[in-house]
Amino acid sequence: MKFDTPAGANPTDRMKVLGKPLDRYEARLKTTGTATYAYEWQDVAPGFAYGYILGAAVAKGRIASIDTTEAARAPGVVGVVTYLNAGKPGVGKFYVQKMLAAPEVDHYHQPVAVVVAGTFEQARAASAMIRVVYDRTQGRYDLAAQTATAPVPPEGEFGGPNEKAVGDFTKAFAAAPVKVDETYTVPDQAHAMMEPHASIAKWDGDRVTCWTSIQQMNWGTRDLGLILGIPKANVRLISPYIGGGFGGKGTVQIDLALAAIAARVVGRPVKIALQRPLMFNTTIHRPKTIQRVRLGAGKDGRLTAIGHESWSGNLPGGRTEPTVTSTRTLYAGANRLTRMRLATLDLAEGNAMRAPGEAPGLMALEVAMDELAEKLRMDPVQLRIVNDTQVDPENASKPFSTRAFVQCLQEGAERFGWAKRNPKAGQVREGRWLIGTGMAGAIRGGKIAKAGARARLGKNGVVTIETDMTDIGTGSYTIVQQTAAEMMGVAPDRIVVKLGDSTFPETPGSGGQQGAPSVTAGVYAACMKLRETVAQRLGFNTAAVDFVAGQVRSGNRTVPLADAAKDGELVVEDVMEFAKMADQFQQQTFGAHFAEVAVDAYTGEVRVRRMLAVCAAGRILNAKTARSQVIGGMVMGVGAALMEEMAIDQRFGFFVNHDLAGYEVPVHADIPHLDAYFIDEVDPTISPVKAKGVGELGLTGVAPAIANAIYNATGVRVREYPITLDKHLDHLPEVA
Ligand code: MOS
């Protein structure tokens, strides 16, 4: 099925099942411990052994020699895999990291060896017997030291151009009566998902099957094929349940690559889970950014000049962190300059983490907007409203498909009680606490991509949907169930959903917040085909057939849906393909975040007291799972604002706080009252289902809202995240 003009009325508009706050399809399995996660598979690969990865002890250099003799003789050891016997692993298409030091070491803890043994403990014990001698060389670990020489890289395959100019920024900024010119830093951050990366790989001749934890099946099969040097078609991935990803499991990481490589070397299935330090130092992370934002405005608050420059670092061949993306689309303003520079750093690869670009980019832009509002003596909500635009600010001929940004701002201000705020910073005290409120705008691309699904109608009237979509804890199962139930006119309990198997029809998987809109469009296509097939089978020779309450109806004839399959299961498959709409419309999701904080006047400790998000993301497919995505994003935003930072040892080039003891993320006690509301809208330019993603939108704008609230409480502007108490303590108002 092709989607090439805005959607008209269709069966999803009934909203009998779609939109409802249905409980998770798989909730019972997860809460009873019977959903099988990657590391828990046992019977699928009889005789499997455990792999344990030894990471490089230097960050830059090469392996001068490696002696595995003693390890190979240790109890239970089946084999030791290094670059000497692994063959040269290829590199996937999305990540540039190399899966093995071979023998060059590109970053700290890059895998040097995999020990395979009968038990995890045997493998771990033997790994300590490997003798590696390194030639260590000096690496580059400090982004700030590289900014002067970092080039603007050419445009790559992913993300937009690294530099864009509209109008004459320099002139307009110089002439602007009111200006902000500030630099903000967002540190390296870890995905830190609960479930570690884990995989089990089993070869059958030249074909490999892997039970793993991965967000994007078809990227995974492609990339694992490239790494192993085998066709994508020879790779099967199975990943029905995933304990969080946030982009950190986008495609193939070392657990999967090395389980497959080790299994090939030792000739039996291998299971590998990453110990936490490898997740931090070896898999991808959100790279640090240094961002300079320059805003020029007239006295009326209208932006005349918008400049956003950003520096990030990466391994050779890696990409920029696309921080300026949101600045290109969020506000009107005739003169614009956005530019990203990229330094080479010898740290683990920087790559996608939840709302890559927008999340760290808004942590700068939306604080700069707060600073501008203060200089203008203008309300920060009002400043954003006067700079709204209904067309792409870089291309006036391209309207936004839907843009309810102003509604989000107004609805949020109303619900939060923004009018009661004292705009002057450092004024409100409650005993020992300095109280402040802040807000920020949010934007995230509303992408969609080609997605397929298979639909089966059984004799019992049950409809089974199969797609390679994944559920990373987001609710994919449930929205697929709801879409199919709505389309087929049956109760949700008549729908069986099977996800996370690469042999099922392809979707873009969970990433770029395009999973929900894409997979539901694929399910729409498959269900439309099933409806046609059912109608034909039942002898309805008209297009005006209704599917309601398990019945198929036309005129005064009504037949149970199940009757269509009484001679055997009906199986159909279709793919939704998208043409051109994104060229005609700027498709984005929007939000507004509000936060209230209390800062201890004596110690500088920050407590978030309440938070509110109002979002606009097209049709909301499930009121409960969408809300969960947004409040989950808000929790993550508390971490970004106040806690998260991977600290780099500048001598040896590694992330020091490489576990959940040292890398702080919010706990329940840190999370205040929070709530999320959605603007009632549909976006017919996206797909027949008219829904956009919300999973990444929920994070963008959260941290700057908190940062702005802290400023409002204290009068101290901290421009270096996370906002820990040491950064403002010395500047807090006198308490006695
Ligand atoms: Mo996302 S960072 O595209 O999982």
Side-chain angles (χ1 to χ4, degrees):
M1 186 173 271
K2 262 221 156 49
F3 184 72
D4 49 15
T5 52
N10 68 56
T12 64
D13 297 327
R14 290 190 290 200
M15 299 289 282
K16 283 198 161 67
V17 187
L18 271 175
K20 298 286 181 285
L22 235 68
D23 288 344
R24 294 287 177 93
Y25 175 86
E26 79 292 15
R28 195 164 178 281
L29 296 178
K30 285 183 175 170
T31 52
T32 54
T34 47
T36 310
Y37 286 83
Y39 197 69
E40 299 168 339
W41 293 97
Q42 299 293 338
D43 303 336
V44 293
F48 73 82
Y50 290 85
Y52 187 89
I53 296 173
L54 178 68
V58 302
K60 186 71 184 160
R62 67 196 311 275
I63 300 169
S65 69
I66 183 162
D67 181 357
T68 57
T69 325
E70 197 188 341
R73 282 198 216 112
V77 171
V78 177
V80 181
V81 180
T82 69
Y83 78 98
L84 295 169
N85 61 355
K88 195 177 164 60
V91 175
K93 231 178 140 192
F94 190 62
Y95 299 152
V96 298
Q97 62 188 352
K98 298 198 184 80
M99 299 294 171
L100 263 182
E104 288 75 23
V105 176
D106 302 322
H107 59 86
Y108 187 77
H109 266 179
Q110 184 176 31
V112 158
V114 185
V115 180
V116 181
T119 69
F120 170 80
E121 289 76 11
Q122 288 170 330
R124 183 174 56 181
S127 74
M129 300 172 190
I130 297 174
R131 305 270 172 261
V132 193
V133 178
Y134 298 96
D135 286 335
R136 179 174 158 232
T137 52
Q138 188 52 48
R140 294 149 292 186
Y141 313 121
D142 183 6
L143 176 62
Q146 305 292 329
T147 50
T149 53
V152 178
E155 183 171 350
E157 193 182 335
F158 301 94
N162 285 303
E163 182 164 351
K164 249 177 146 178
V166 175
D168 187 339
F169 169 77
T170 310
K171 201 166 142 208
F173 184 70
V178 185
K179 294 178 219 205
V180 167
D181 179 356
E182 296 293 349
T183 296
Y184 308 84
T185 61
V186 179
D188 294 280
Q189 294 175 340
H191 303 81
M193 70 297 274
M194 288 273 274
E195 182 205 24
H197 299 82
S199 296
I200 177 163
K202 177 177 162 241
W203 286 85
D204 187 6
D206 58 357
R207 306 175 76 86
V208 68
T209 303
C210 305
W211 291 262
T212 186
S213 188
I214 195 168
Q215 294 174 225
Q216 292 160 192
M217 286 276 152
N218 69 63
W219 283 18
T221 49
R222 174 197 69 196
D223 291 341
L224 190 57
L226 289 168
I227 289 162
L228 298 172
I230 62 174
K232 171 178 170 166
N234 287 13
V235 177
R236 181 178 179 192
L237 300 179
I238 297 169
S239 202
Y241 305 108
I242 297 166
F246 311 119
K249 294 171 181 167
T251 176
V252 181
Q253 295 283 4
I254 54 170
D255 58 305
L256 177 52
L258 294 177
I261 289 170
R264 185 158 66 179
V265 172
V266 304
R268 69 192 252 198
V270 170
K271 178 188 273 192
I272 294 178
L274 298 191
Q275 54 271 38
R276 280 278 157 189
L278 290 187
M279 294 173 67
F280 284 80
N281 273 300
T282 311
T283 72
I284 62 158
H285 68 286
R286 190 195 310 279
K288 174 176 177 165
T289 47
I290 299 173
Q291 304 177 48
R292 181 186 184 193
V293 180
R294 283 178 286 174
L295 301 175
K299 295 232 162 70
D300 59 357
R302 282 177 205 279
L303 289 162
T304 52
I306 304 177
H308 191 172
E309 289 162 277
S310 176
W311 290 260
S312 59
N314 219 331
L315 290 170
R319 289 184 294 284
T320 51
E321 171 67 26
T323 45
V324 305
T325 312
S326 35
T327 307
R328 289 176 177 156
T329 34
L330 189 50
Y331 298 115
N335 303 287
R336 322 173 68 91
L337 172 71
T338 45
R339 183 190 288 147
M340 294 181 285
R341 295 181 181 276
L342 182 66
T344 302
L345 291 180
D346 302 298
L347 296 167
E349 180 172 356
N351 207 311
M353 178 167 138
R354 199 174 194 176
E358 284 98 332
L362 290 177
M363 288 167 78
L365 178 68
E366 285 299 284
V367 174
M369 286 293 280
D370 202 64
E371 304 205 42
L372 181 65
E374 187 181 33
K375 286 196 173 169
L376 286 159
R377 295 174 189 280
M378 193 168 176
D379 180 80
V381 173
Q382 194 54 32
L383 174 63
R384 286 159 175 93
I385 291 172
V386 303
N387 286 293
D388 186 50
T389 172
Q390 293 294 317
V391 296
D392 184 337
E394 292 187 337
N395 176 5
S397 65
K398 197 172 179 181
F400 284 90
S401 58
T402 62
R403 177 173 163 126
F405 184 46
V406 170
Q407 280 165 270
C408 292
L409 291 163
Q410 288 171 335
E411 178 85 22
E414 178 69 33
R415 286 177 183 271
F416 187 79
W418 184 253
K420 288 193 240 109
R421 175 189 206 235
N422 186 333
K424 200 159 179 303
Q427 301 301 303
V428 182
R429 276 289 286 273
E430 280 180 21
R432 66 184 292 137
W433 299 99
L434 300 162
I435 310 298
T437 54
M439 58 76 56
I443 183 171
R444 171 66 176 151
K447 292 196 294 179
I448 191 146
K450 180 177 157 184
R454 190 179 295 137
R456 302 171 181 275
L457 174 65
K459 280 184 191 179
N460 53 1
V462 169
V463 177
T464 301
I465 303 291
E466 299 171 346
T467 92
D468 81 351
M469 179 61 188
T470 53
D471 190 320
I472 60 175
T474 41
S476 309
Y477 279 102
T478 319
I479 56 168
V480 166
Q481 176 193 28
Q482 288 172 278
T483 306
E486 196 72 83
M487 291 297 297
M488 299 313 299
V490 298
D493 67 1
R494 302 276 83 198
I495 305 291
V496 170
V497 183
K498 296 187 177 172
L499 304 181
D501 185 328
S502 66
T503 61
F504 293 156
E506 272 189 14
T507 70
S510 301
Q513 78 165 11
Q514 62 182 342
S518 305
V519 70
T520 52
V523 171
Y524 176 94
C527 287
M528 280 310 251
K529 202 173 219 179
L530 184 58
R531 287 165 62 116
E532 284 165 30
T533 310
V534 165
Q536 279 168 14
R537 195 59 67 98
L538 296 176
F540 288 101
N541 38 26
T542 160
V545 180
D546 250 1
F547 288 69
V548 182
Q551 309 288 319
V552 188
R553 222 181 265 161
S554 186
N556 51 15
R557 186 172 162 228
T558 298
V559 185
L561 176 65
D563 282 11
K566 66 171 184 264
D567 298 330
E569 188 187 45
L570 298 186
V571 186
V572 301
E573 190 175 323
D574 203 3
V575 179
M576 184 66 84
E577 291 183 87
F578 299 90
K580 298 240 160 68
M581 295 295 237
D583 295 344
Q584 293 170 40
F585 298 99
Q586 180 58 257
Q587 297 166 317
Q588 301 282 335
T589 62
F590 293 91
H593 288 278
F594 295 80
E596 177 181 317
V597 302
V599 180
D600 189 309
Y602 295 86
T603 68
E605 176 194 353
V606 178
R607 290 266 153 197
V608 181
R609 298 225 281 195
R610 63 192 175 102
M611 295 169 81
L612 169 73
V614 178
C615 298
R619 174 173 279 162
I620 296 306
L621 299 169
N622 180 316
K624 188 186 288 184
T625 58
R627 178 180 180 277
S628 292
Q629 280 300 293
V630 173
I631 64 174
M634 291 159 82
V635 172
M636 202 168 185
V638 171
L642 302 179
M643 300 160 196
E644 293 186 50
E645 173 176 20
M646 292 207 281
I648 300 168
D649 182 313
Q650 290 296 346
R651 299 160 306 165
F652 297 106
F654 66 95
F655 298 118
V656 181
N657 50 341
H658 52 202
D659 55 35
L660 292 174
Y663 185 84
E664 295 199 350
V665 295
V667 298
H668 282 98
D670 299 312
I671 299 308
H673 174 80
L674 42 76
D675 224 335
Y677 293 92
F678 294 94
I679 299 292
D680 190 15
E681 69 166 16
V682 294
D683 190 338
T685 75
I686 295 286
S687 88
V689 188
K690 307 170 189 175
K692 294 185 268 203
V694 294
E696 298 188 337
L697 176 66
L699 172 62
T700 69
V702 177
I706 294 169
N708 294 338
I710 294 171
Y711 174 76
N712 181 246
T714 63
V716 183
R717 187 71 77 172
V718 177
R719 300 185 183 87
E720 189 186 334
Y721 293 97
I723 305 174
T724 46
L725 57 84
D726 53 299
K727 292 176 187 162
H728 61 202
L729 183 59
D730 290 348
H731 309 283
L732 292 182
E734 289 293 331
V735 274

